[in-house]
Amino acid sequence: MQRIKTFRTVTRAVAAACFLMVQVVICIGTVYWAVAATLRMEGTPAMVLGVVFAVPSAYFLMVVCRMAYEAETDPANQ
């Protein structure tokens, strides 16, 4: 079966992806803040920790976007 790609389904996929990305960024940001505050990191060590958190977060956000697109354009969900 072929995916349904209309303006409506793509808009829904973008909306679902944005919602999930905001939730993920809030959760990851909270964990980053808790770890940095617990270890009393400032300056360069905090930036390094931010990069350590950012790399897997970017991958996770790509996965979330792909899952939202696949779910919204699946013919079984229409």
Side-chain angles (χ1 to χ4, degrees), residues 52-68:
V52 168
F53 272 69
V55 172
S57 299
Y59 173 75
F60 186 70
L61 292 176
M62 283 188 339
V63 169
V64 166
C65 289
R66 187 177 65 228
M67 288 173 53

Side-chain angles (χ1 to χ4, degrees), residues 17-42:
C18 287
F19 174 74
L20 293 172
M21 284 193 293
V22 167
Q23 298 298 317
V24 167
V25 168
I26 289 171
C27 291
I28 292 171
T30 302
V31 171
Y32 165 76
W33 172 76
V35 170
T38 301
L39 299 176
R40 297 178 189 210
M41 291 183 164
E42 294 178 359

Side-chain angles (χ1 to χ4, degrees), residues 1 4 71 73-78:
M1 295 190 0
I4 299 172
T73 59
D74 188 19
N77 290 339
Q78 303 303 319

